[in-house]
């Protein structure tokens, strides 16, 4: 199983066994995190792994999932950083899925200030370990909106774009709100953030992180098809006119030359 295939079977795991993750696998996860490419800002994200005992002292807030391990994802304080962090974190989540590990985003959790590096911010905490129950689920069981609700087609999409959108539809999000909308052209997919009053009250950062997750799925599906694409910011004024009511332009995935 590769990371693209993991998109279709991965689910949030909320019950974990006490089985320890081998030290060699923990090192592989850290190595994967260190080698991941970034979209725009070099070295803008990194992770730190805590075991359950360490987490009890350092991770607070809405800490509801008891897991043997937790991963803190840190990012720089830039305008694009939370989108970058969401894409980065989801790549790691999919990688851990391929290694037989369960994961669950802990959006309500906070880390002790002493643990946050200077000039960085906590983007997310991820619980992980071996699942006590089912690790995976069939994609048809995922509670997601239909593509015709999420997309506005300005051109007939290619089969490659259809594959990318199907993968994007399965992306997880805070409270399963699926805050993204796609405007699909013949050569690009524009991603918009649908205004969500409930999520906005909780945290704008959470919505931007979710955009990063769905961006990850689009990029993984493009890579699976050997389709060269790039993530860029288009002209915001033009993008706004082409977008959806009560939505805000975020980023574009467009075809690129090799």
């Amino acid at each position: 199983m590769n990371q693209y295939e993991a998109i279709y079977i991965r689910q949030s795991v909320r019950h974990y066994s006490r089985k320890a993750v081998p030290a060699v696998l923990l090192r592989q996860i850290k190595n994967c995190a260190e080698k991941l490419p970034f979209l725009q800002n070099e070295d803008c994200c990194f992770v730190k792994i805590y075991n359950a005992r360490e987490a009890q002292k350092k991770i607070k807030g809405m800490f509801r999932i008891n897991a043997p391990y937790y991963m803190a994802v840190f990012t720089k304080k830039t305008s694009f950083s939370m989108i970058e962090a969401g894409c980065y974190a989801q790549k790691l989540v999919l990688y851990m899925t391929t290694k037989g590990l369960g994961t669950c985003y802990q959006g309500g959790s906070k880390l002790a200030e002493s643990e946050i590096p200077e000039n960085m911010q906590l983007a997310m905490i991820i619980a992980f370990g071996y699942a006590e129950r089912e690790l995976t689920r069939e994609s048809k069981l995922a509670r997601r909106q239909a593509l015709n609700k999420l997309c506005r087609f300005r051109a007939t999409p290619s089969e490659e774009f259809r594959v990318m959108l199907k993968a994007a539809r399965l992306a997880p999000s805070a409270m399963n709100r699926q805050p993204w909308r796609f405007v699909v052209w013949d050569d690009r997919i524009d991603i918009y953030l649908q205004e969500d009053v409930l999520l906005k009250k909780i945290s704008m950062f959470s919505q931007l992180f979710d955009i990063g997750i769905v961006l990850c799925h689009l990029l993984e599906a493009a890579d699976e098809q050997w389709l060269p694409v790039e993530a860029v910011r288009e002209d915001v004024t033009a993008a706004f006119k082409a977008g959806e009511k009560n939505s805000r332009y975020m980023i574009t995935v467009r075809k690129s030359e090799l």
Side-chain angles (χ1 to χ4, degrees), residues 19 64 82:
K19 180 182 176 182
R64 298 179 178 178
M82 291 304 290

Side-chain angles (χ1 to χ4, degrees), residues 83 150-152 154 178-185 188-195 204 207-208 210-212 214 218 233-253:
I83 294 177
L150 298 174
C151 300
R152 294 294 177 267
R154 307 299 188 191
Q178 302 157 64
W180 40 73
R181 295 295 182 269
F182 309 110
V183 177
V184 184
W185 306 83
R188 73 184 193 272
I189 300 171
D190 296 331
I191 306 174
Y192 289 77
L193 174 65
Q194 187 77 20
E195 294 295 338
M204 183 62 190
Q207 296 178 74
L208 297 178
D210 285 349
I211 293 296
V214 81
L218 287 168
R233 288 274 291 179
E234 299 283 13
D235 178 78
V236 175
T237 302
F240 176 78
K241 291 179 180 178
E244 288 295 292
K245 185 178 181 181
N246 299 323
S247 64
R248 186 148 61 97
Y249 172 72
M250 291 283 107
I251 196 167
T252 292
V253 176

Side-chain angles (χ1 to χ4, degrees), residues 53-67:
R53 182 174 296 180
E54 293 170 329
Q56 287 178 354
K57 299 177 182 178
K58 298 176 180 178
I59 301 176
K60 306 297 180 182
M62 296 174 64
F63 192 54
R64 298 179 178 178
I65 304 299
N66 293 318

Side-chain angles (χ1 to χ4, degrees), residues 13-166:
V13 172
R14 294 179 171 80
H15 301 278
Y16 294 87
S17 75
R18 295 185 179 182
K19 180 182 176 182
V21 174
V24 65
L25 181 50
L26 291 176
R27 285 196 298 271
Q28 288 173 352
I29 294 169
K30 290 180 180 178
N31 289 338
C32 176
E34 291 172 359
K35 294 177 181 178
L36 283 178
F38 296 102
L39 299 171
Q40 292 187 359
N41 303 311
E42 287 299 316
D43 301 322
C44 73
C45 302
F46 74 95
V47 302
K48 185 173 181 180
I49 293 175
Y50 300 86
N51 62 36
R53 182 174 296 180
E54 293 170 329
Q56 287 178 354
K57 299 177 182 178
K58 298 176 180 178
I59 301 176
K60 306 297 180 182
M62 296 174 64
F63 192 54
R64 298 179 178 178
I65 304 299
N66 293 318
Y69 303 93
Y70 301 86
M71 175 185 288
V73 181
F74 302 98
T75 187
K76 291 181 179 178
K77 297 179 179 180
T78 66
S79 58
F80 189 77
S81 63
M82 291 304 290
I83 294 177
E84 184 92 66
C87 187
Y88 175 84
Q90 185 64 5
K91 288 179 180 178
L92 288 172
V93 162
L94 295 174
Y95 175 77
M96 287 191 281
T97 303
T98 69
K99 297 298 183 180
L101 297 176
T103 55
C104 188
Y105 285 111
Q106 303 289 278
S109 296
K110 298 179 180 180
L111 195 61
E113 286 294 327
S114 60
E115 292 293 301
I116 301 177
E118 187 177 359
N119 298 321
M120 303 290 283
Q121 61 185 327
L122 176 67
M124 183 60 65
I125 293 173
I126 304 168
F128 73 95
Y130 289 106
E132 186 176 62
R133 301 176 186 175
E134 292 295 324
L135 171 65
T136 61
R137 55 101 177 95
E138 295 181 48
S139 60
K140 66 182 181 181
L141 299 178
R143 294 183 294 108
R144 300 290 191 272
Q145 295 188 59
L147 275 178
N148 63 0
K149 299 289 186 181
L150 298 174
C151 300
R152 294 294 177 267
F153 295 98
R154 307 299 188 191
T156 301
S158 64
E159 182 57 32
E160 294 163 322
F161 273 13
R162 288 187 183 277
V163 170
M164 291 167 64
L165 291 166
K166 287 177 181 177

